[in-house]
Every structure is written in C-alpha cells, then in structure tokens.
Amino acid sequence: MNDRKVRVGAATWGVAGWAAGVLLLLVGAPLAARGRLPERLATHWGGGGEPDGSMPLWAAAVLPALIWAALVAVAAVAWLRADGRTEAATRGWLGATLLSAGVFLMGGQAAVVRANVDREHWREAGSVSGWIVVAIVVAVIVGLAAWLMTRRDVGAGEPVASAARLAIPEGQRVVWFSRASNRWLHLISVVTGLPAVAAAVAAAAGLTGPAWSLIVPLGLASLAVLCCSSVRTRVSDRGLEVSFGPFGLPTRRWATGDIESARAENRAPAQVGGWGYRLNGLGTTLMLRGGECLVIRAKGKDFAVSVDDAERGAALLNSLTARTAA
C-alpha cells in the first residue's frame, strides 16, 4: 500500500466516523427530547432575544443534518481530488472546516433544544444567545488548532528518491516522510468517543445533568486510541520525528546524535503484544499493521513504528547519523 492510499484510507475512515457521529447527534438530540418539547420548536430569534420563527420538530432535526451532510460531501470530494503538493494543505482546511462546523452545529442544536425543552409553546422558548456565542468560540478554537497542527506539513521538504544507502552532498537537505494508519483503531475510537460526546450534548441541551463518570473515562479512552491509530514519520538532518494521531500529537523526537543505528524489520502484532503502543522485550513498538517497521536503536533501547518504505527511511537515517558522527 503506497503512502497516498494510506492517507486517503485514513482520511476516509476519520471523516466517515466524525460525519456519522455528528449526524446522529444532530438528529438524535431533538428526537430524544420530543416528550418534553412543543409540537413546533423555536428555531430563530430576533435581535432582542425573543423567538420569532419556528419549525416542526422533525424539520428542526433534519435541516441541520442536511446542512452537515452537504458540507461533508463537498469536503470529501475536495480531499479525494487533492494530490501532490496540495494534499497537506487540503488536509489542513478539511480538518479545520469539518471539526469547527461539526462543533458549531452540535452546539447550536443543543442550544435550540435547551431553549425549547419543557415549554408549552415555541414562543415561550428561552434565549440562545449565550450558548451560540460559546459554540462559536469553541468551534473557532478547535478549527484553528486543527489547521495549525496540520499546516506544519506544508512545504516541509521533498521525499527521498533514492533507494539504498545515500551519499548526501554537503549542504544538501534531504527529507523522508511516511505514514501508516489502522482503520479498526479509528473505529474503536469513534465507538468509545460517541457516547461521551452524546452525553455532553445531552447535558448542554438540558436533558440530563453532566454525566462526568461517563464523559471523562470514555472521552479519555477515545483520545488515547485515536492517538495510536495513525502515525507520521519524518527523517531529516535533525533526526527522527514520530507524530501520533491525525493531528500529529503527541510527537516523539530523536536527534541524529542519539541514534546508534536504524534498520527495517518485519514484525507482527503477535510478536509485540497486539495493536497500538506496545512495550515488551523487543522494546517499544507502535504497531498499526503487521509487516515492515522502521526500527531505531537509541541510548541502548529499540523503538519500532509501522510505516511503509521503512528500508529507505532507515538508509537515510543511518547516512545522516554517520555524517553527524564524522
């Protein structure tokens, strides 16, 4: 599987999981509270904070979902059509757009439900101004963070074109990139994170109290799995950089002076104790799929990561460490 297929596959699963989760919550929030809502919901408020427009409950559930589905479709087409130098930039605005839009739509839907819950008529609905402001602020922060995290890939350098040991001319900058992803770990992250998001939306909509015993453990578990579901590796004259998760956080770095050797090695999940971030007699392994791994030895310990084209990355890393030691 080449690097582009890995990126497209990981993005497809990530977009699908996020899109499905947001869609389910947009439709599910008003339907789950329908016994406590009027027949028509206030969906528009005037400048004075008083409701001045309404929709049937089904329309209030479906309209935001349709907006979200259209946005996801446009973003997915843009991602699949991106290639070469535009791909990293596309990934940046795609992540920022989908994350911020999803957060805003869920926050807006929660605000609408909260304003209408336990009201006899939609004209009695409360104000949504404060909640909408919070939703906008959070959406902007999330989108900006996503854009900044992915933007650092743009223009970072050219991939290595040579295959074996590299004779690097003095003063020339050579960079090697590779990625890997595990769709099942992405799915597990979605499955564990969706109940936490649903509980948070329900609390924001005033349907339940904050279920911290559900939100915190499931949310943390989802983030932990997400961080181990994909990886990006970069070899340069600075050494090796391994970035975890879709936004490259956290990141581990090894300077060229600290790396004793590098090699490519075939490993299977059964050898290292399963999928994800594993510690055993072989050292530390980030196992995303069985097969080729880039393995380095630094300060007497081994670290391995599942990546494509590991032999080329190891060759460049050995050349760079030798040049540093010379």
Side-chain angles (χ1 to χ4, degrees), residues 79 87-97 143 146-148 150-151 154:
W79 168 266
E87 192 167 15
T90 299
R91 185 171 60 253
W93 72 255
L94 174 63
T97 300
W147 181 75
L148 290 175
T150 57
R151 189 174 182 272
V154 179

Side-chain angles (χ1 to χ4, degrees), residues 88 105 115 118 145 159 182 194:
L105 286 173
D118 295 330
N182 186 307
L194 189 57

